[in-house]
Each structure stands twice: as structure tokens, then as C-alpha cells.
Amino acid sequence: MKLLTICGSLRSGSFNRAICNTLPELAPDGCVIEDAPGFADLPIYNADGHNTRGFPDRVSEIAALVRAADGIVIVSPEYNFSIPGGLKNAIDWISRLPDQPFKKKPVALQSAAAGMLGGARMQYHMRQVMVFLEARVFTKPEVFVSFAKSKVDESGEKIADETTREMMRAQLTAFAAEITS
């Protein structure tokens, strides 16, 4: 089984990037996790742009990875109670391609934040977007990493907190089982 992670944070030292970095070692047997390339260089989505100039190569590259994956894990912070603009922009681009890549694709969500809610509001909004795109949004167990600064290792590159790692592992295991059922 092949899962693709899409990290919604562009920040170096991101807690959400630490989740993405940790996921491959928590994957169930027979599951490979690949990371999607970044999307910081994408222009702001404008239908006039893709109608006249086509789609940026990066959009086609990410879309091909989404199509090839058995499931997607979106890991993202919450910005202003919602989805970060860069991630939403990338989804807007990808969703405009013919044979929309997220349609019927299993999607799990994870988030981390410095505060108590762990990015929950981003996840609620992302669920709305994914439902509109006809993705198969995985619902339980959920992964909200609150007070994330206390859960990363000394380098800040991976999640070290064992309770959090176990929660992440449980979601991946259940997600993989859902995909194969």
C-alpha cells in the first residue's frame, strides 16, 4: 500500500513537518509513505491562468502522485481558524484538473499546533473541502497534536512523545485497514 503525505506548512521547523517526517516509521507492515513535493512556488489560482497558460508543472506532478497513491494523509497547521492559504491554493489548482485526482480517494487528516486544539478547526474545514471534492474522508481515530512544542524531539524534526506516536500509529493502521476493506 502506498500513502502520500501532503504537508500544509511551509515553515522550516514546522510541527506538522515533524509529523510527516515521523509517519513512515509508524506505518503498518506493507505500507510505504511518500511525501508530496512542496507547493510554495504555485501562483495564486485563477481560472484565467489555467485556461490560457495551462497548469503549472508542479500541479501535474502532485496530481500524478495523488492519483497513484492508495490514500492521502494531509498534515497541516491551522491558520486563522482554517486551512493555510498555500495548501488551499494547491488543492484549488489540483482539483481543477480533468479527472479530478481527489475524487473517491481515501484521505486522512492530522494536525499539530502550539495551542490546546491542535489544529482542529483546520481539520473541520478540510473535511468540508474534501467532501465537496468527493474524497473518502477518514473519520476515526482523529489525530490532533496539541501543545506540539512539547512533543517533538530535540532536533524538532520528529515527534518524540510516545502517546502521540501511538495515536498516529493507530490512525495509520485503521486508515490502511479502511482502504483495503
Side-chain angles (χ1 to χ4, degrees), residues 60-81:
S60 299
E61 181 183 352
I62 297 170
L65 292 170
V66 168
R67 286 186 182 109
D70 296 304
I72 309 299
V73 182
I74 297 174
V75 182
S76 181
E78 176 181 301
Y79 288 1
N80 297 319
F81 283 19

Side-chain angles (χ1 to χ4, degrees), residues 42 54-67 94 97 101:
L42 291 178
F55 291 87
D57 291 341
R58 179 56 50 95
V59 169
S60 299
E61 181 183 352
I62 297 170
L65 292 170
V66 168
R67 286 186 182 109
I94 294 165
L97 287 165

Side-chain angles (χ1 to χ4, degrees), residues 7 9-19 77 152 156:
C7 185
S9 179
L10 304 176
R11 184 176 70 81
S12 63
S14 162
F15 302 131
N16 290 278
R17 170 53 55 202
I19 290 176
V152 295

Side-chain angles (χ1 to χ4, degrees), residues 134-156:
E134 299 181 70
R136 293 178 24 219
V137 182
F138 184 72
T139 57
K140 291 181 185 175
E142 297 176 304
V143 175
F144 303 102
V145 181
S146 57
F147 307 113
K149 185 175 184 175
S150 67
K151 312 244 170 105
V152 295
D153 63 16
E154 288 181 17
S155 71

Side-chain angles (χ1 to χ4, degrees), residues 41-114:
D41 59 342
L42 291 178
I44 299 296
Y45 176 77
N46 177 337
D48 290 342
H50 89 254
N51 288 333
T52 58
R53 292 182 297 277
F55 291 87
D57 291 341
R58 179 56 50 95
V59 169
S60 299
E61 181 183 352
I62 297 170
L65 292 170
V66 168
R67 286 186 182 109
D70 296 304
I72 309 299
V73 182
I74 297 174
V75 182
S76 181
E78 176 181 301
Y79 288 1
N80 297 319
F81 283 19
S82 194
I83 302 165
L87 175 59
K88 180 65 168 65
N89 185 53
I91 291 169
D92 288 344
W93 272 108
I94 294 165
S95 69
R96 296 319 193 272
L97 287 165
D99 187 29
Q100 195 271 106
F102 288 108
K103 187 173 185 173
K104 298 187 181 189
K105 187 64 64 174
V107 174
L109 304 173
Q110 297 191 8
S111 56

